[in-house]
Amino acid sequence: MVRFKNRYVCFEIMLEPSHASDTAQPLVMTNQDILRLVRENVKLNFGDSGAGHILAGMQVKHFNPHTRLGIIKVPRDHIKMVTATLALITRAKKTPCALRVRHTSGTIKKCQKSAIRTDRELILAYHKDANVAQLLRDSESQISALEI
């Protein structure tokens, strides 16, 4: 029996400076939108062969629209293709942006820890109002709830 080995990629969507004035505004994207965006860009940059390689194994495990931080599960053999594609993305839903890979890990647990740490930094940077504690608790519980 063959075991499928995966990698987990923690990424952040950074808006271009002209659109970053509303940093506290959430980015209206779902997990399906992120998956579609990555798949389309893999096909654009690596062709049908690249899109076919990652088609079955890639999955968006988490995306927080407030901090624009997400976690993607990728087949281990194609991690470099996906991280290169993330770096080459320049638009998300007609909004100029850039994607930055924050952490790559072989286990979701380590990726969760990195995502919680990064999420905490981003929430404190973006939201300077009274509901920060509640946002931190909600964010940490959502990331911790991912299946291990």
Side-chain angles (χ1 to χ4, degrees):
M1 186 166 159
V2 177
R3 190 171 140 224
F4 293 106
K5 296 186 178 178
N6 298 307
R7 293 289 179 259
Y8 297 88
V9 179
C10 181
F11 67 94
E12 175 189 3
I13 298 177
M14 300 181 304
L15 298 179
E16 292 294 321
S18 60
H19 291 78
S21 60
D22 297 329
T23 55
Q25 294 297 324
L27 184 64
V28 183
M29 290 187 81
T30 63
N31 289 356
Q32 298 302 327
D33 294 333
I34 299 289
L35 192 60
R36 190 176 308 112
L37 176 70
V38 175
R39 283 186 178 163
E40 287 172 358
N41 280 284
V42 166
K43 187 172 183 177
L44 177 71
N45 294 310
F46 295 98
D48 290 333
S49 174
H53 284 300
I54 67 156
L55 186 65
M58 193 171 69
Q59 180 182 11
V60 177
K61 297 299 257 179
H62 170 73
F63 181 70
N64 185 341
H66 293 286
T67 58
R68 300 183 283 273
L69 189 78
I71 298 174
I72 298 178
K73 181 177 93 170
V74 183
R76 182 184 71 174
D77 297 338
H78 308 294
I79 187 71
K80 289 184 179 181
M81 184 188 320
V82 173
T83 55
T85 298
L86 290 175
L88 294 171
I89 292 175
T90 58
R91 289 194 170 281
K93 284 200 160 186
K94 300 180 182 177
T95 304
C97 67
L99 272 74
R100 180 167 75 171
V101 175
R102 292 290 219 151
H103 184 79
T104 303
S105 176
T107 63
I108 194 165
K109 190 155 188 101
K110 290 291 184 182
C111 205
Q112 282 176 325
K113 288 180 181 180
S114 173
I116 289 170
R117 184 176 51 250
T118 304
D119 227 17
R120 181 178 307 273
E121 293 169 6
L122 293 173
I123 287 173
L124 291 174
Y126 290 159
H127 303 281
K128 297 184 179 356
D129 53 1
N131 64 353
V132 171
Q134 182 62 34
L135 282 172
L136 287 171
R137 282 193 301 275
D138 292 345
S139 174
E140 187 171 344
S141 66
Q142 287 174 356
I143 294 171
S144 297
L146 295 176
E147 64 183 48
I148 295 178

